[in-house]
Amino acid sequence: MLAVTGPHATQEVMDAVHQHLPKPHDPFLDLVPGAFGEAGLKLTPRHYAYLKISEGCNHRCTFCIIPSMRGDLVSRPIGDVLKEARALFEGGVKELLVISQDTSAYGVDVKYRTGFWDGRPVKTRLLELVQALGELAAPHDAWVRLHYVYPYPHVDDILPLMAEGKVLPYLDVPLQHSHPDVLRRMKRPASGEKNLERIARWREMCPDLVIRSTFIAGFPGETEEEFEHLLDFMREARIDRAGCFAYSPVEGAAANDLPGMLPAEVREERRARFMAVAEEVSTAKLRERIGTTMRVLVDAAPAMGRRGGVGRSYADAPEIDGVVQLLPPEKSASS
Ligand code: SF4
């Protein structure tokens, strides 16, 4: 027996289970719809939830096998997505994390079909979805955070909503590389886009914007020059939150057949060099925040905060970014 709870105390049961058996993070599987009303059975803590808007992907990145496992893009009907979002906010969710394999492509498969929500027509398209989510979140004073957004031109339309505070000024954009030849070998979506210019424009439109991204170092055939291009990009783009993987072949991926597989030490060495630059950028950007006041979502505050706690600012997505350590009252008063 893990705990004694009252009748219908679903959240307490889930809290007890999580306490004894922490759930490994998988943003693709975190939401299992259908078990408890519109909001589904939430496996995340009560105050945040993942909202999956589509399944599958129309791209064929050479290092990835997701399309072969999950198929082409299938967008969920916008009415269903918004119904679930409303149920989650009404159930106490204070932060909604929008996920998919390619959030920017929402609705492409259904040609941006017009759906219905609250008796009015709404297009199955990212801009309309984000607008509606912002409206749903507002009365609950809740956050909406966007993940897996590819830098297509139409993403620019979302930035004013971020600048107006309708959704968090945070974009998780999986860029993977900067050099056009590497991106072509990777067959990345939006590889022809001018990402530096795009990021600069986003920051002009919304100066508070925080960008998270992931990169791959040591992709087959990557030359030292191509890798240096990536380091220069990182310094110039000043990606706030960057993760980097040393390339590792996945069974069934097309990239396995590309020439120029690099030795494991080179891949690892490049990953470490990338992370050193990422750390410099991140430290400099965090220093700029010293002395500013930021709103924090409290994730844990034992003993009603008497022992301090842990929270996150808008710049920190749960489990993948940093945290804000909250001091106990006596220490914060003296600091
Ligand atoms: S990595 Fe490429 S192929 Fe894989 S899910 Fe993302 S966009 Fe689709």
Side-chain angles (χ1 to χ4, degrees):
M1 187 167 73
L2 301 180
V4 178
T5 67
H8 308 296
T10 314
Q11 187 60 40
E12 283 172 41
V13 172
M14 294 314 292
D15 287 347
V17 171
H18 286 141
Q19 202 182 342
H20 293 266
L21 190 70
K23 181 184 75 73
H25 174 57
D26 181 345
F28 296 127
L29 299 177
D30 273 338
L31 198 68
V32 182
F36 289 96
E38 302 299 345
L41 170 60
K42 269 181 81 283
L43 299 178
T44 44
R46 186 185 180 84
H47 61 289
Y48 70 82
Y50 294 95
L51 179 70
K52 191 160 199 175
I53 60 168
S54 62
E55 182 63 86
C57 177
N58 285 347
H59 302 291
R60 296 294 180 264
C61 302
T62 51
F63 56 81
C64 177
I65 55 168
I66 286 177
S68 65
M69 295 189 314
R70 302 188 183 215
D72 285 341
L73 177 78
V74 179
S75 299
R76 292 180 61 199
I78 193 155
D80 292 2
V81 172
L82 293 174
K83 202 153 122 191
E84 184 173 325
R86 178 154 70 187
L88 287 165
F89 288 132
E90 286 174 353
V93 162
K94 290 291 175 198
E95 179 178 6
L96 196 65
L97 301 113
V98 175
I99 57 163
S100 68
Q101 265 94 44
D102 180 359
T103 297
S104 316
Y106 180 62
V108 166
D109 54 315
V110 293
K111 301 191 171 54
Y112 307 117
R113 180 173 59 207
T114 300
F116 282 91
W117 164 244
D118 255 0
R120 61 184 163 107
V122 195
K123 277 197 166 185
T124 311
R125 197 166 58 173
L126 186 64
L127 177 61
E128 282 77 357
L129 174 71
V130 174
Q131 265 163 345
L133 287 176
E135 281 164 25
L136 281 174
H140 301 276
D141 206 8
W143 287 351
V144 175
R145 192 186 291 281
L146 304 179
H147 288 276
Y148 311 110
V149 178
Y150 288 102
Y152 298 126
H154 70 268
V155 173
D156 295 6
D157 301 340
I158 310 294
L159 271 292
L161 299 177
M162 294 185 169
E164 288 163 22
K166 301 269 168 48
V167 293
L168 291 183
Y170 176 104
L171 273 180
D172 175 7
V173 190
L175 295 165
Q176 309 302 2
H177 213 283
S178 63
H179 196 285
D181 294 342
V182 181
L183 290 169
R184 257 192 298 278
R185 294 201 292 280
M186 287 178 167
K187 288 207 180 149
R188 288 296 289 163
S191 61
E193 301 301 331
K194 296 194 165 87
N195 288 336
L196 262 184
E197 288 91 325
R198 169 140 288 122
I199 288 170
R201 195 162 56 249
W202 286 350
R203 290 210 167 111
E204 253 167 51
M205 294 162 90
C206 179
D208 288 336
L209 181 68
V210 161
I211 299 177
R212 145 162 284 278
S213 191
T214 47
F215 296 88
I216 296 175
F219 189 73
E222 184 190 63
T223 62
E224 177 61 25
E225 192 200 333
E226 288 167 345
F227 176 66
E228 293 277 347
H229 187 279
L230 175 60
L231 296 185
D232 289 345
F233 171 85
M234 183 60 204
R235 289 188 192 102
E236 206 171 329
R238 301 189 83 216
I239 302 294
D240 303 73
R241 312 279 196 206
C244 184
F245 299 96
Y247 176 75
S248 98
V250 176
E251 205 183 320
N256 299 347
D257 300 328
L258 290 174
M261 173 65 90
L262 297 172
E265 315 81 74
V266 176
R267 288 182 260 149
E268 183 46 44
E269 186 246 359
R270 287 184 183 173
R271 187 203 67 80
R273 282 166 64 199
F274 178 94
M275 286 314 294
V277 173
E279 206 176 304
E280 271 168 34
V281 170
S282 170
T283 307
K285 295 211 86 170
L286 288 171
R287 284 223 168 93
E288 289 166 12
R289 293 204 185 275
I290 294 175
T292 60
T293 303
M294 294 176 83
R295 197 171 176 211
V296 166
L297 183 66
V298 177
D299 284 321
M304 301 291 285
R306 285 193 295 278
R307 282 188 257 136
V310 179
R312 286 176 295 106
S313 72
Y314 80 88
D316 312 301
E319 302 183 50
I320 51 174
D321 292 327
V323 293
V324 178
Q325 298 288 349
L326 308 171
L327 296 172
E330 66 281 4
K331 285 206 178 148
S332 63
S334 63
S335 63

